[in-house]
Amino acid sequence: MDAGEIIVAQPSPRLYKSLTFRRIATKERTIPQDEEMKIRSPRFQDESLTAPFILDKKARSKAPTVVLGFEFLESTAFNGIATNLVVYLETLLHGSNLASASNVTTWFGTSYHTPVFGAIIADTFWGNYNTILVSLVFYLLGMMLVTFSAFLPTTALCTVVGSSCQQPLLGAQTIAFLGLYLVAFGSGGVRAALLPFGADQFDDDNTADRERKMSFFSWFYICVDFGMIVSGLFIVWIQQNVSWGLGFGIATACIALAFGGFVLATPMYKRRMPTGTPIKSLAQVVVAACRKARLRVPADTTLLHEAHDKINQSKIAHTDQFGFLDKAAVVMESDLEEESNDVAADASWRICTVTQIEELKILLRLLPIWATSIVLSAAYAQLNTTFVQQGAAMNMRIMSFTIPPASMVSFGVLCVLAWVLMYSSVIVPMLNSLSLANGEPSQLQRMGAGRLLMAFAMAVAALVEMMRLDAAGRGESLSIAWQMPQYFALAGAEVFCYIAQLEFFYSEAPESMKSMCTSLALLTVALGSYMSSFIYAVVNAFTAVDGRPGWISDNLNEGHMDYFFWVVAALCTLNFVVYSAFARTYRVKLVVS
């Protein structure tokens, strides 16, 4: 046997032969050379290998297509409400510009906060399939209530000048907001479970399936974008030119169709059973480290405790950061006695493996990177609020077409697709030609570029607003086409940051925390929306005083939204500087196989 090679003991001689692995440190799972051959072998098929799953093998290949179709319909339904929501609140529900923008960002924040709870429920109790089903019930009910609020006669009566509509309007608002927050909770459960549920339909032990799985992630994102295009162009046009009720009704029909299709396709799904929450494992590390606070960590880290008897479980390489936590893996005689006496429940709170400790370290290292994403998301929230309000104060005619301000979001989605193509066909080849090394930017570098582009997008929006105010002062109306550069820059920030962020959090996350870390990435969108609402409140408190209308007034020609955009651009620039400091010292996870 060569040095550096080990023989891994297998649990069943009937199914396995001794396989020789070469120990390496890598970011991907190591596959033995003859593993694929064994998987295809008839005698390698055993029920024990698919015990955690409920699987119809003949129909399995169709399941990802169903999930992609489901996501397209869900994205169309959600954005059919979200894209034009600020206009709906201002027109039919008669909210002010500031209140409507604040309500929208708060609702968006809730919509992206609930996936964290959905991930916990899916991983611990219900599993992805059942979580999606239950969430769809709330989702559909909420969509129906929002649609019903648009058909209430009281909303139309309130448009009559001088009519007393305070009480009926309150009723319409109650139904609308009740429906919106049911949608927020329902969509949160779907977001938490649908993507990992789709990934579960592939076999990671098969090379071809792993390649199809990576393609699935790309198609999933494209389905999200196409749903935004359909809602931004088709549904928004119906809402503003035909009927709000009909527009919301079409969105509701989309989620109903997705619900029915998902249920009918149940026999073809591969379902992973819930494995339990990783929170207990993280708590065990903290408790064990505190119990051994007076001990010293040995200089030879190979003496730290690690589980070597668990087959097919990847182990994370030790790092020297957060050294206090390493004390949880220091082996004492009492720990060995407890293991020999089979007191496993108590021993797990006294001694932990290096992998357990590194899982907690990963979360601690991710925390500052994650925190800087909140400021980025606060700026991104302007896409559905102040950008739409700015467009509504501009000339919406482009050639012979009238472009609703919310439909500019669809232009932003097209820009996202353009940036994706530019990245693979222009940017990466150009970087390769300029560098002897691999020109592919790392995930951290792409996220940094996205943060810088976000600051640039806000600066462009400020310049456009200055031009709009100048034109309004001359009695003219600036064309809404001038918003295209800021949407293009914002799309670049989305491609470089959000896509890379999902990839980064997924790749860095421990195996037992994939859904959790993906939900944490979505949580930045929620907290960013809350931060945006907080910024609105602060700006209004400091600028709308002594009878002045404030920067974001109901009549934008009397305000100074350009000042607001400059402030957000400055925050994004400062956020980029802070992010860069943490990104330079970040240590990427290494998995030892």
Side-chain angles (χ1 to χ4, degrees):
M1 182 185 305
D2 295 335
E5 295 186 349
I6 57 174
I7 298 296
V8 180
Q10 304 298 337
S12 174
R14 185 175 66 87
L15 296 178
Y16 299 92
K17 296 178 181 177
S18 295
L19 300 178
T20 302
F21 293 78
R22 190 170 296 275
R23 180 181 295 177
I24 61 172
T26 177
K27 291 178 65 177
E28 302 293 337
R29 183 176 179 271
T30 300
I31 305 297
Q33 295 179 353
D34 56 344
E35 179 180 10
E36 187 172 345
M37 178 186 69
K38 289 194 171 190
I39 292 175
R40 295 175 181 174
S41 173
R43 67 189 188 88
F44 193 78
Q45 305 298 326
D46 187 271
E47 293 181 357
S48 63
L49 299 178
T50 57
F53 303 98
I54 302 172
L55 173 63
D56 183 348
K57 296 180 180 179
K58 293 183 179 180
R60 183 179 63 183
S61 60
K62 299 179 182 179
T65 304
V66 175
V67 172
L68 292 175
F70 179 100
E71 177 54 31
F72 168 73
L73 291 171
E74 189 275 333
S75 178
T76 303
F78 182 84
N79 290 288
I81 286 182
T83 303
N84 215 19
L85 181 59
V86 67
V87 178
Y88 177 67
L89 296 181
E90 290 174 359
T91 54
L92 263 70
L93 298 187
H94 301 277
S96 66
N97 277 358
L98 184 64
S100 298
S102 180
N103 283 328
V104 169
T105 52
T106 301
W107 177 74
F108 262 104
T110 304
S111 299
Y112 283 92
H113 185 84
T114 50
V116 176
F117 301 101
I120 294 175
I121 292 173
D123 288 341
T124 309
F125 304 107
W126 294 349
N128 290 325
Y129 176 82
N130 291 329
T131 301
I132 294 172
L133 278 185
V134 175
S135 299
L136 280 172
V137 174
F138 291 98
Y139 204 153
L140 182 58
L141 178 60
M143 295 287 291
M144 293 172 65
L145 289 177
V146 173
T147 303
F148 179 66
S149 72
F151 280 109
L152 285 176
T154 52
T155 58
L157 292 174
C158 289
T159 60
V160 180
V161 178
S163 64
S164 177
C165 59
Q166 181 178 1
Q167 192 63 30
L169 182 59
L170 180 61
Q173 286 178 327
T174 301
I175 293 175
F177 280 101
L178 176 60
L180 285 172
Y181 280 91
L182 283 174
V183 169
F185 281 96
S187 64
V190 171
R191 285 196 185 98
L194 186 62
L195 183 58
F197 179 76
D200 284 346
Q201 309 310 310
F202 299 91
D203 184 4
D204 286 337
D205 292 330
N206 182 278
T207 303
D209 248 18
R210 287 199 306 275
E211 294 176 355
R212 286 193 291 267
K213 184 176 181 180
M214 296 305 298
S215 176
F216 169 79
F217 285 121
S218 299
W219 279 107
F220 190 92
Y221 189 81
I222 290 174
C223 287
V224 174
D225 281 347
F226 273 109
M228 294 178 66
I229 292 175
V230 171
S231 61
L233 293 179
F234 177 62
I235 296 180
V236 167
W237 186 88
I238 290 178
Q239 290 169 348
Q240 298 213 212
N241 294 277
V242 181
S243 166
W244 283 97
L246 179 60
F248 288 152
I250 294 174
T252 303
C254 286
I255 200 64
L257 181 61
F259 195 171
F262 183 79
V263 173
L264 291 176
T266 297
M268 67 177 61
Y269 295 141
K270 173 182 179 182
R271 286 183 274 167
R272 184 184 298 273
M273 305 307 292
T275 57
T277 176
I279 296 177
K280 179 181 178 181
S281 176
L282 301 179
Q284 288 172 343
V285 174
V286 176
V287 171
C290 291
R291 284 181 169 180
K292 299 179 178 180
R294 296 183 179 181
L295 298 181
R296 295 183 60 182
V297 179
D300 184 2
T301 57
T302 60
L303 298 177
L304 297 176
H305 178 60
E306 183 59 280
H308 297 288
D309 58 342
K310 295 184 178 180
I311 305 302
N312 293 332
Q313 177 176 322
S314 58
K315 299 175 179 61
I316 304 176
H318 175 267
T319 60
D320 56 5
Q321 292 178 318
F322 309 107
F324 173 79
L325 297 176
D326 290 336
K327 297 182 178 183
V330 175
V331 181
M332 300 174 59
E333 292 185 3
S334 58
D335 299 327
L336 298 176
E337 292 176 358
E338 287 182 350
E339 287 187 353
S340 63
N341 294 330
D342 294 331
V343 193
D346 184 62
S348 61
W349 293 91
R350 293 182 177 274
I351 185 168
C352 301
T353 65
V354 171
T355 296
Q356 276 183 280
I357 297 170
E358 290 301 321
E359 289 176 348
L360 179 55
K361 288 183 180 181
I362 287 171
L363 295 183
L364 295 177
R365 284 195 294 266
L366 286 175
L367 186 60
I369 302 295
W370 174 82
T372 60
S373 299
I374 299 175
V375 178
L376 178 92
S377 296
Y380 185 79
Q382 309 315 309
L383 176 70
N384 292 100
T385 53
T386 52
F387 277 22
V388 176
Q389 292 170 340
Q390 182 188 49
M394 303 174 78
N395 180 7
M396 290 177 276
R397 297 283 298 181
I398 298 180
M399 294 188 290
S400 59
F401 299 97
T402 299
I403 308 298
S407 292
M408 290 297 291
V409 175
S410 296
F411 171 75
V413 175
L414 293 176
C415 290
V416 167
L417 299 177
W419 273 101
V420 170
L421 294 176
M422 286 173 53
Y423 177 78
S424 59
S425 60
V426 178
I427 297 176
V428 173
M430 182 179 65
L431 292 175
N432 279 324
S433 65
L434 296 176
S435 175
L436 296 176
N438 182 18
E440 177 79 22
S442 67
Q443 294 165 344
L444 288 169
Q445 289 172 335
R446 286 156 57 193
M447 288 192 289
R451 283 157 172 76
L452 196 59
L453 273 173
M454 184 63 74
F456 178 71
M458 293 299 108
V460 173
L463 292 173
V464 171
E465 181 63 13
M466 292 173 65
M467 294 172 57
R468 192 197 66 79
L469 288 173
D470 184 61
R474 300 192 307 268
E476 301 174 357
S477 181
L478 192 68
S479 172
I480 197 173
W482 282 98
Q483 280 195 314
M484 290 182 177
Q486 68 198 53
Y487 277 98
F488 183 76
L490 191 76
E494 179 180 353
V495 169
F496 276 94
C497 187
Y498 281 118
I499 297 178
Q501 179 173 287
L502 285 173
E503 294 177 5
F504 179 72
F505 275 71
Y506 186 85
S507 62
E508 286 296 293
E511 290 298 324
S512 60
M513 303 182 192
K514 296 293 185 182
S515 298
M516 182 73 69
C517 288
T518 302
S519 297
L520 288 177
L522 294 175
L523 182 60
T524 62
V525 180
L527 297 180
S529 295
Y530 292 147
M531 182 179 180
S532 180
S533 296
F534 176 74
I535 293 174
Y536 293 149
V538 172
V539 166
N540 187 62
F542 280 93
T543 62
V545 294
D546 300 329
R548 290 179 294 180
W551 289 355
I552 308 177
S553 63
D554 290 339
N555 185 352
L556 293 184
N557 294 334
E558 299 176 356
H560 264 293
M561 190 180 283
D562 54 333
Y563 294 169
F564 171 78
F565 285 136
W566 283 122
V567 169
V568 178
L571 286 174
C572 289
T573 303
L574 178 61
N575 185 61
F576 169 74
V577 173
V578 174
Y579 168 83
S580 299
F582 286 109
R584 286 195 191 98
T585 59
Y586 188 90
R587 295 188 178 182
V588 178
K589 178 187 74 173
L590 294 178
V591 175
V592 178
S593 298

